[in-house]
Amino acid sequence: MTALAHPDIAQQLQANLQAQRDCAKKLLGIMQEERQALMASDVARLETITQSKSEAAGLLQTLGNTLLQLRKAAHAGSLDGWFVSLRNGLPALWDELLELAGKCRAANQDNAVLLGSREAQLKQTLRAFRPAGTPELYGRSGYAPLGLSARQFGAA
């Protein structure tokens, strides 16, 4: 039984790939907005963008899982081979989706680099305002390492 014997699976596959393509385009736009917000240090906008990015990534994951289920239902081998065996422009749609995924990955890495440099700048600024030789106010655990021993307030 081949995927060609199931026109409804081919239609579902095409709809899935189109939905993934549309979602990937939206995600790429969100990441471009994120970069602008990072450069402007717009925290409120970043919070909104993070929520949108999370939703888009979740939808892509759901669509990806559905794609794998369609492949299993068609008893297909590799995804690339399956798309080539189908018609309706699916190989081109798959290639477009792979290209968008690469652009999303690159945009995400660029934003991570920008975020890392902002973090380093912030840490450097905080160190400049702290008097020399004083410890950081809070350690990695979130507690102040002041070196004070615990006090006993009373005993009965």
Side-chain angles (χ1 to χ4, degrees):
M1 195 181 299
T2 67
L4 292 174
H6 299 287
D8 59 322
I9 290 179
Q11 290 171 348
Q12 290 175 22
L13 175 61
Q14 185 167 7
N16 180 284
L17 291 177
Q18 288 170 340
Q20 285 193 56
R21 179 197 56 205
D22 295 345
C23 191
K25 283 181 180 179
K26 179 180 177 182
L27 184 60
L28 184 58
I30 291 169
M31 286 192 222
Q32 291 166 345
E33 286 181 45
E34 180 181 46
R35 181 169 183 77
Q36 292 171 356
L38 284 168
M39 292 175 69
S41 298
D42 189 343
V43 176
R45 190 167 157 213
L46 281 169
E47 288 177 3
T48 302
I49 289 170
T50 300
Q51 180 64 32
S52 298
K53 188 167 77 168
S54 177
E55 290 169 2
L59 177 58
L60 273 175
Q61 185 174 8
T62 300
L63 289 167
N65 290 337
T66 302
L67 176 65
L68 294 175
Q69 292 171 354
L70 287 170
R71 187 182 78 183
K72 287 179 186 176
H75 306 290
S78 74
L79 286 173
D80 289 331
W82 186 34
F83 296 142
V84 169
S85 72
L86 296 171
R87 292 180 177 78
N88 303 328
L90 292 181
L93 189 56
W94 177 246
D95 290 342
E96 183 181 359
L97 183 58
L98 291 178
E99 182 181 339
L100 280 167
K103 288 180 179 179
C104 285
R105 183 181 313 113
N108 194 48
Q109 289 171 343
D110 289 345
N111 288 349
V113 168
L114 182 57
L115 191 57
S117 68
R118 292 286 180 164
E119 179 185 16
Q121 289 172 349
L122 180 60
K123 285 181 179 179
Q124 184 178 6
T125 301
L126 289 173
R127 275 189 227 108
F129 286 113
R130 191 175 52 240
T134 60
E136 291 186 25
L137 293 179
Y138 295 98
R140 287 174 105 29
S141 65
Y143 294 102
L146 298 177
L148 301 175
S149 60
R151 294 184 184 185
Q152 187 173 10
F153 288 108

